[in-house]
Each structure stands twice: as C-alpha cells, then as structure tokens.
Amino acid sequence: MNPAASMKIPKCWLTVAFAALLAFAWAQPGASAPQIGYLYPAGGEQGTTFHITVGGQSLRGTDLVRVSGEGVRASVVEYVRPLDNQELRDTSTFLRNLVKRRWSAAVMAAAAAKMDGPALPDHPWLRDLDAKSPAQLARLQTMLFDPKKQPNAQIAEQLEIEVTIDPGATPGEREFRVATPGGMSNGLCFQVGVLPEVREEDFATAGDPATPVVDLPVLLNGQITPGETDYFRLRARAGQKLVIRAQARKLIPYLADAVPGWFQATIALYDPSGNEVAYSDDFRFDPDPLILYEVPEDGLYELKIRDAIHRGRDDFVYRIAVGELPFVTHIFPLGAQAGTSTAASVAGWNLPAETLQLDTQPGGDPVRRARIGLDQGFLNQVRYAVDTLPEATETEPNDATGDAQEVTFPLIVNGRIGQPGDVDTFRFQGLAGQEMVAEVHARRLDSPLDSVLRLVDPTGAVVAINDDHKDRAIGLITHQADSYMRVELPQDGTYEVRLSDAQRHGGDAYAYRLRIRPAQPDFALRLTPSGLNVPAGRSVPITVHVVRHDGFDGAVDVVLADAPAGFALSDTRIPADKESVEATLTAPRGAPRQILSLALEGRAEINGVAVTRPIVPAEDQMQAFLWRFLVPQQELLVAITGSRPVPAVWRPLLPSVRLASAAPVQIPLGGTAQVQIEAPQNLPDSRQSELHAIRFALSNAARGVTLQEATVVPTGVTLTLKADANIALAGDAANVIIEASTEQEGVAPDGQQMASKQRVSLGVLPAIPFQIVRP
C-alpha cells in the first residue's frame, strides 16, 4: 500500500470522539429532536395571552419554548398524542351515541344502557364531549374522521402552548422553536401583530345567520381542511377603502409533499346581496392574495377563503388582515447611495404620507426594510437597497438608439418601465477586453418587473442577452426574474444596454435599479441547518454553502466568530471548484443543557485582498418533491442536550477535549486509505464485543468516496476509505463525516414499545479531511 494512503489521526483529535461514542453507546440512547410543521394561530396581538397549537413529531417531553427577539414568552401546557386505531373506533361510537341522545330524549331514556358505549381515554380532544356545541363536535368529527384527510406522521402530534405577548413587543416576524431533552426543533414563523384577532372556529360558519359578525379592523386566523371553504361576515361602511391581505405561504414558505409547494390561498369578497365583488389568488408574483376594495354601501359583506385546488390539511394555516389599513403597493426609487439624504415617493392605500425617508447610513445591510404608520395597524414592509456606487435617475425619452441616455460606469440607474412595451436604453463607452457587469435589482426589491437585458456592440449586434438569473442567496423567490450579464467587451467603442419587461408589461410600479459596473468578484455564505442539536463533548454535521458572484472562483475558509469557550469547528475549507462543504461542530465537554447563539464567517483572498463575509443561517427546504431553496433564518442556534452518563470504569480514560489540525487523508484514485480511530487505551475484550454492535457509515456523500470497511481492533477502529476510479477525480478535496449508530427497541408516539427495532444514531466523528491523489 502507498505509505501516503495510510493515516493515523492524532489521539488528541479522534480519540476524544471515539471515547464519547463508546460512553454514549453504553448509556441510554436519547430521544429524537422534535420537528414542528405548523403553528395555529401563527401569531397574536400585542398585550394578550392566548393558547396556540403546535403540530409536529417527536414532541413528547417538550419542556422549553423559544421565540426570537424580546417581549414574547411561551410555555408548554400539554402534550397531545395521536389517538390509536382502537381509541378512534371508541370515539366514533361515542359520538354516534351522543348524537342519538341529543336527538331524542325518549330514545335516550329507552336505550341509555345500550348507548353508554366504551370508556374513552383521558385525552385533550375527548374531554367534556357532552358539553361541546354541535359546531365543536362537527369540527372534532372532521379532524378525526374526514375521509379526505391523508395521514401525515410529520404533524400527527400536538402541543398546547400558552403565549404571552408584552404590550410593547415589537411587531413583526419571530422564529418559534420548541425543545425536548433530545434537542431543539426547526423554526417557524410567528407574528407579533397590532390588530384585534379572532379565530375561524368562533366566526366562520357558512350560511348561518347566527354566525357572529366581525368588526373591522381585524386579523382572521384559520386552517383549511380538505375541500373546506371558510366564511367570515364583515361589517363595512360606505366609502371605506378596505385592504384584505392574506398570509399563508408567508407563514410556511415551502411544503415538501404538496404541489405547488405551499398552501395556495384564494380569497373572494361578496356584497350584502351575495354578489362576488372582488377575487384574488395572488399579489403580483407573491402567491399570497390581496384585495383592495372601496366599499360602495353599508352592510354585511362575506369573505371566503379556500385552497386554489381544494386541498387542505392541518398545516394549511392562514392569517388575514382586514380593514382600512395602510398598504404600500410600490415606491420609487428602490434605493439610494449610502450616506445621501433620499426621500422615496410612496404609493398605495390609506397611507399617512406620500414620501418615505430612507435610512442610508453607511454600513449595515445592503437590503433594508421600513414601514409606514406602524401604530395604525398592519402594513407590509417596504424593501429597498443601499449601495456605495454613484447613482442617477433614468431620463425619458430613452427608448430608441437615438434617444439613448448617456452614462459613465460604475453607476446605478434608478428607473421605471413606465408603460407596456417600454425599452430603456443606456449608452456608454467601452474598451476591448474590459469586463463589465450589467445587473438588475427589481424582483428582489418587490417590483413586478420581469426584466430582460441586452448588450449591443458598436456595430449594432447583440453580444449578450439575459432574462432570468438565479441567485441562490434569494431563497424565497421561486421565479427569480432579475437579469444579470458579465461580458468581456470585444472592441473599443460605444455600447448600449437595453432594459425591458419580458412580458411587455409596464407602469409606475415597474421600478428597477440597473447596476453597470466592472466585475467585482465576491461571495456570500449560508449555513444549514439553522438549528443544531449536539450532546456535550460530541460533534454535529453542518453544511456551508458559498454563493459566488462575478466569477469568484477562490477557496473560502470557514471559522467560528467569537464562539463561547469549548466550541470547535473542524478544519473547513470550501475548495475553489465547489459550492459547499460539509464539516462538524463540536460542543464543549461537560457543558449543561442550554441553547446558545453562534456566528461563523468565511475568509478568502480576492485580488490580493483579504475579504471576510458573515455566514447567514438558513434551512435547505424542498418545494413540491423536487426543487430546493436556501431559506435565510434569523438565528444560528446550538442546543447542547447535556452530558450523557458515562460508566465509571471509563471516566478516567476520557482525555480533556481539544482539537488538533491534521493533514488530509491521501486516498489514491481507485485505491484505499485507512484512518485509525483510537481508543484512550487498549480495549478489553468485553468492550471490543460491545463495539461490534456499533455500525459506522458515511454521513455525507463525497463524490466517489465510500467507507469500504470498519474493523474493530484492540486499539479502537480502523476505517478503510475507497476512491472509485470511475467517479472520483484526482485533486478532489473535501471532508468525510462518519456516523456511528446502533439499534434499540422502538417506541411509538403513544409511549408503547414497538415490535421492530429502530436505528439510533450515536452521533458523528469530527470531519476527516481527504484529498484524492493519483496512484
């Protein structure tokens, strides 16, 4: 074997992880981390206390709720397990008998003994059934026995949570998570609002004149079951300019197992005579619908909401703001140069002002958000950009070659495609071999523009054209309609950039920022997942993604930024030809159970200059079984699940935790290399036999690299890595992450032991760097 193909990792590195795995294997395996799929309602009003339902899986044992930001407190009231099949049958029998008893007192008296039915378990859904109203029983019947409702284990368990929002809590979106001793859940959107709130179960009954009337303004909360339509009766006055803004996709951006990948809500408004007067299934490119309606007469209006293709399930949650609320439809310009005083014109409904002063303080986020009239109710956020380049405003006429607007780059042009078919043209002088970039910022700043860019050379030939350019850093826009081109100019002379709308639409709302500049290689970084669960002293895998801009092709080193003492990140570099790398984060040994916020950053050299960029936490989410998006999150959180009990005989053998750098394992193309995982000292026979019950496997999919064998030896475990000659490439460099697992008796959500055994992860070893070399 090639001497370079055998590697002995220093004891101070993998020995620690191996000893921790052994200790964990001989301790009781911990519970899985919880996962949450929906919140209902997904928000509440300032200054109120209320209960919400959280749906998910592995929720048993939840004892902690975390809401980002200040002013929101929450605690667990009760865990609600799903009913088993026998309990469902008993409940169905009980409900049928209950209907009979209510239908006829004579029947009840004659057949009371026969209708007692089976005893029901003490379950939150089944308490005080005799006292429930017909509407409440109907909802329970639908929830438990709707034949159109498909079982979904991912949201089968529930938590009842009490939430208190302080009167002074900042309105807006928060991240909501729960935690058990086994770990912390993913985060979901929870909104702090300023409007009075109601729920559909109290106000949404079709065709019932006794249904309470909702006074405006209000925020309506509900869930859509399969084929359901929810109805609300609203009292409106003549002359009111109503804003009806639904949020559904906003609350849960992507559903992996539903087409089109989210709850596609539709809303319709009916006048007092029952005529449909307004309908919406979106707002421009935003899937969440909006109705703007001026009320012609006093009366009771009816609002209906349903799914566009009549689907429904528990995670089809919505919030609808209704009233004479301020709503911005568009602004101009869409940004400004840093440090300049800029007032944007604002258009929309019920606005308290016609201009908005933009915050252009140097530094800070390049894309910023503002609100108007926050104290007056719900208002969508205004998004705008702040840049360091000089800026100019588009000047009409500039539609034809003869009227092209003269510009000198670098420059940002703020403009509009002011009418259907409009083409804005900008002329500049270029030099042969000069690399220039033309880029549109519009859709990512909430403009409806679907831009097309054309670059025309001095001869009149189109040398480059671009319609849509995908930016992986923008994870919430599925149709990324902004244009981008990077071109090396072929000759000296006068060039033109022509900007139009791909659909030949136009109007005041079709604003843009056109950046014409030299190429400036750069990068952005995302880390998934945004919530990490790791026992003290052990490691957890992470993935760091790089989004490369303007041809940046360098390597990026990933490091912790001011992390609490004891945390360690494996040596992590994103190679020049890769878009991501998998690594491991190790928690301090002996740390108590806690949730901490961490920060990481990436470092690279660009044109001889050291550049550092923050790493944004994100979730790698799937849309409709196929597409994936990196969705930014507010916080990168690490839940330390606490130290595992370690047998006394092994405690003296655990060394102090510290990481040492190690050269990459050299794996010959088509050959193998060995990695030694060392025990603190030679294993006794009893420990060797227990170790045989632990299975080692690759946790990540490195191209062409497989774990061929894991062999137990007196000094620990020998891992044999193989590089497939037909798949791997010489020069490939990445990390191998090894996961250890065992089997234990399975436990169902109701706490009963299952007949089959379940695989239980014991955790991962710190990432092992490797490089493929020619033999």
Side-chain angles (χ1 to χ4, degrees):
M1 180 180 290
N2 186 338
S6 181
M7 180 175 185
K8 196 174 185 178
I9 304 296
K11 288 185 180 181
C12 53
W13 189 37
L14 287 182
T15 300
V16 173
F18 179 66
L21 287 176
L22 288 177
F24 182 56
W26 299 319
Q28 279 290 90
S32 299
Q35 293 290 316
I36 57 176
Y38 70 89
L39 312 175
Y40 176 67
E45 182 187 3
Q46 292 170 320
T48 61
T49 296
F50 52 95
H51 285 198
I52 71 170
T53 298
V54 177
Q57 62 183 342
S58 300
L59 301 182
R60 181 185 294 274
T62 297
D63 56 2
L64 178 66
V65 182
R66 180 186 176 96
V67 183
S68 63
E70 302 293 333
V72 181
R73 303 181 303 281
S75 60
V76 178
V77 176
E78 191 169 21
Y79 166 75
V80 183
R81 63 175 176 81
L83 296 174
D84 63 32
N85 289 335
Q86 183 59 52
E87 290 170 332
L88 287 171
R89 286 192 291 269
D90 292 345
T91 301
S92 179
T93 300
F94 186 93
L95 290 176
R96 286 198 303 270
N97 290 342
L98 179 59
V99 171
K100 292 177 182 178
R101 288 199 298 269
R102 290 185 175 183
W103 175 68
S104 171
V107 172
M108 178 187 70
K114 296 181 181 179
M115 294 191 300
D116 286 343
L120 298 183
D122 180 20
H123 191 280
W125 295 340
L126 308 180
R127 293 172 190 158
D128 302 321
L129 291 182
D130 285 313
K132 292 186 181 297
S133 68
Q136 291 172 322
L137 290 176
R139 290 187 64 84
L140 178 63
Q141 182 82 17
T142 299
M143 180 180 72
L144 296 180
F145 305 111
D146 186 348
K148 295 177 291 186
K149 186 175 182 179
Q150 298 296 318
N152 189 337
Q154 296 178 343
I155 53 175
E157 301 174 55
Q158 293 184 359
L159 295 170
E160 183 181 354
I161 304 287
E162 182 176 271
V163 178
T164 297
I165 303 179
D166 293 342
T170 302
E173 296 177 3
R174 312 293 182 91
E175 285 179 2
F176 186 104
R177 301 175 190 260
V178 302
T180 69
M184 173 184 59
S185 76
N186 57 302
L188 286 180
C189 175
F190 180 87
Q191 297 182 336
V192 175
V194 298
L195 298 178
E197 303 209 3
V198 301
R199 303 190 188 192
E200 59 155 316
E201 51 264 39
D202 299 322
F203 287 88
T205 303
D208 185 355
T211 301
V213 176
V214 181
D215 290 314
L216 307 181
V218 70
L219 197 141
L220 311 171
N221 292 283
Q223 292 170 288
I224 295 295
T225 58
E228 181 186 24
T229 299
D230 283 350
Y231 303 76
F232 296 91
R233 300 171 72 209
L234 312 173
R235 181 179 287 108
R237 301 187 312 275
Q240 283 186 309
K241 299 182 69 175
L242 292 185
V243 172
I244 306 175
R245 180 56 161 158
Q247 295 182 91
R249 198 248 181 177
K250 180 76 169 178
L251 306 176
I252 303 177
Y254 295 111
L255 295 172
D257 57 347
V259 177
W262 51 77
F263 166 26
Q264 181 58 67
T266 70
I267 55 177
L269 185 67
Y270 295 79
D271 67 14
S273 300
N275 301 309
E276 182 183 292
V277 293
Y279 171 88
S280 175
D281 61 2
D282 60 22
F283 175 56
R284 296 172 180 163
F285 60 90
D286 184 348
D288 284 337
L290 167 73
I291 287 177
L292 302 174
Y293 180 72
E294 186 166 353
V295 179
E297 59 177 323
D298 293 356
L300 297 182
Y301 289 73
E302 188 172 62
L303 178 67
K304 298 182 181 181
I305 178 170
R306 63 172 176 85
D307 178 69
I309 52 178
H310 301 282
R311 303 164 303 162
R313 60 191 205 185
D314 290 342
D315 53 0
F316 279 31
V317 177
Y318 62 82
R319 288 167 64 80
I320 310 175
V322 187
E324 277 196 297
L325 308 172
F327 187 88
V328 172
T329 56
H330 57 275
I331 69 170
F332 185 83
L334 295 179
Q337 184 178 10
T340 63
S341 178
T342 303
S345 63
V346 183
W349 280 47
N350 306 316
L351 300 180
E354 296 181 351
T355 60
L356 171 66
Q357 190 69 33
L358 303 183
D359 173 14
T360 63
Q361 289 294 319
D365 293 335
V367 176
R368 304 179 185 182
R369 294 170 175 80
R371 295 177 184 265
I372 297 178
L374 183 62
D375 59 341
Q376 299 183 30
F378 172 84
L379 179 68
N380 62 319
Q381 290 184 334
V382 173
R383 203 187 321 256
Y384 63 94
V386 177
D387 207 302
T388 58
L389 296 181
E391 304 211 357
T393 301
E394 173 221 0
T395 302
E396 292 284 1
N398 62 349
D399 299 336
T401 301
D403 294 326
Q405 183 174 339
E406 299 281 347
V407 297
T408 302
F409 73 90
L411 183 72
I412 295 176
V413 180
N414 291 292
R416 288 186 174 108
I417 299 300
Q419 58 187 2
D422 187 15
V423 179
D424 289 346
T425 306
F426 305 93
R427 180 184 298 132
F428 66 92
Q429 300 300 313
L431 302 175
Q434 188 176 29
E435 189 176 45
M436 61 84 66
V437 168
E439 179 181 23
V440 174
H441 284 221
R443 183 63 59 91
R444 72 194 83 180
L445 297 175
D446 298 330
S447 167
L449 178 67
D450 181 359
S451 65
V452 176
L453 278 178
R454 292 175 173 83
L455 179 65
V456 180
D457 71 9
T459 69
V462 176
V463 296
I465 184 171
N466 181 260
D467 181 2
D468 300 337
H469 174 74
K470 183 177 180 180
D471 184 350
R472 292 171 62 233
I474 311 298
L476 288 173
I477 300 178
T478 53
H479 177 197
Q480 297 196 8
D482 288 342
S483 305
Y484 171 93
M485 59 174 63
R486 178 166 60 94
V487 181
E488 183 176 318
L489 301 182
Q491 58 183 308
D492 294 353
T494 301
Y495 289 81
E496 290 182 355
V497 173
R498 298 177 182 174
L499 172 59
S500 59
D501 183 83
Q503 311 299 323
R504 298 185 61 81
H505 294 166
D508 288 346
Y510 287 72
Y512 61 81
R513 286 168 65 80
L514 172 63
R515 307 173 87 238
I516 307 175
R517 56 179 175 77
Q520 298 173 315
D522 206 341
F523 61 96
L525 296 162
R526 301 289 185 265
L527 183 148
T528 59
S530 65
L532 306 173
N533 295 302
V534 56
R538 292 174 55 209
S539 301
V540 62
I542 61 173
T543 302
V544 182
H545 308 260
V546 60
V547 181
R548 301 177 183 274
H549 297 307
D550 285 6
F552 170 70
D553 59 0
V556 180
D557 292 314
V558 179
V559 297
L560 287 167
D562 300 321
F567 279 95
L569 182 69
S570 59
D571 288 344
T572 303
R573 165 171 283 197
I574 306 176
D577 61 341
K578 303 292 184 184
E579 292 189 345
S580 65
V581 67
E582 295 184 74
T584 51
L585 178 72
T586 301
R589 181 168 165 254
R593 182 187 172 197
Q594 58 187 302
I595 297 177
L596 301 169
S597 178
L598 288 187
L600 287 82
E601 60 188 25
R603 299 170 181 172
E605 186 174 290
I606 302 177
N607 297 328
V609 178
V611 176
T612 299
R613 294 289 180 259
I615 297 181
V616 177
E619 292 295 333
D620 184 0
Q621 296 188 352
M622 178 183 288
Q623 175 201 357
F625 305 97
L626 183 60
W627 298 278
R628 306 198 73 94
F629 297 89
L630 297 176
V631 180
Q633 304 293 296
Q634 296 180 8
E635 299 179 293
L636 173 59
L637 297 177
V638 178
I640 300 179
T641 57
S643 299
R644 300 289 185 181
V646 180
V649 66
W650 281 93
R651 285 191 195 120
L653 303 180
L654 292 175
S656 60
V657 174
R658 65 188 181 92
L659 298 179
S661 63
V665 178
Q666 306 290 304
I667 310 177
L669 187 63
T672 62
Q674 291 185 338
V675 178
Q676 303 291 331
I677 303 179
E678 298 185 334
Q681 65 180 45
N682 283 1
L683 293 171
D685 291 341
S686 62
R687 292 300 183 242
Q688 289 190 52
S689 63
E690 289 173 343
L691 184 57
H692 277 289
I694 300 177
R695 300 178 181 179
F696 293 87
L698 287 181
S699 175
N700 61 331
R703 181 169 60 186
V705 176
T706 58
L707 177 59
Q708 188 178 51
E709 187 178 18
T711 306
V712 177
V713 296
T715 56
V717 176
T718 298
L719 303 175
T720 302
L721 301 175
K722 181 178 180 179
D724 191 307
N726 296 316
I727 302 176
L729 297 177
D732 275 1
N735 289 329
V736 163
I737 298 177
I738 304 294
E739 181 183 23
S741 65
T742 187
E743 290 185 340
Q744 70 167 3
E745 299 297 331
V747 179
D750 60 3
Q752 300 298 313
Q753 184 169 306
M754 299 170 62
S756 60
K757 290 187 176 181
Q758 289 183 322
R759 176 184 173 277
V760 177
S761 174
L762 303 179
V764 299
L765 300 173
I768 304 171
F770 73 87
Q771 185 174 24
I772 307 298
V773 297
R774 296 191 180 278

